[in-house]
Amino acid sequence: MSKEYYKKKIIDLRTSITKEREDKKRDNEYYAKMIKGTNTPSNKAYYRKSKIDKAAYHDRKIEQWKREIEYAKDAMKRS
């Protein structure tokens, strides 16, 4: 593959990371609102757990994109 392909791929991956960070922020705000808005302790616990799980999901996706950027940089050096 050409260097231009890898440069474009890196730009696309960085855009994906930015979008994922925005999604994480939006989800955290949603769950914080749900935790404040509920009255029962079991619902609060459920939303807290969901918030933690969703944040971890976003963190894993961001790390995956970072690894792909590193792979693309290595491949670009080889080509």
Side-chain angles (χ1 to χ4, degrees):
M1 303 263 168
S2 68
K3 287 189 178 190
E4 288 78 26
Y5 168 79
Y6 291 115
K7 286 179 184 179
K8 183 184 180 315
K9 185 173 182 173
I10 290 170
I11 290 169
D12 291 343
L13 290 170
R14 286 183 179 150
T15 303
S16 296
I17 289 174
T18 303
K19 183 184 176 304
E20 197 67 37
R21 285 184 177 140
E22 291 169 0
D23 291 346
K24 179 181 177 182
K25 183 178 177 182
R26 181 178 34 89
D27 285 344
N28 279 340
E29 290 171 355
Y30 166 77
Y31 284 113
K33 185 175 107 176
M34 295 304 287
I35 290 168
K36 278 187 176 181
T38 190
N39 294 328
T40 62
S42 63
N43 280 347
K44 283 189 183 217
Y46 170 76
Y47 285 126
R48 284 188 182 112
K49 182 183 179 319
S50 297
K51 182 179 178 182
I52 291 167
D53 291 344
K54 197 67 168 178
Y57 165 79
H58 288 297
D59 290 339
R60 285 191 304 272
K61 292 281 285 191
I62 290 169
E63 289 304 313
Q64 175 188 356
W65 297 125
K66 286 180 180 179
R67 281 192 304 273
E68 288 190 30
I69 287 173
E70 291 304 314
Y71 295 147
K73 284 180 180 179
D74 290 342
M76 190 169 63
K77 288 177 185 175
R78 288 191 306 256
S79 66

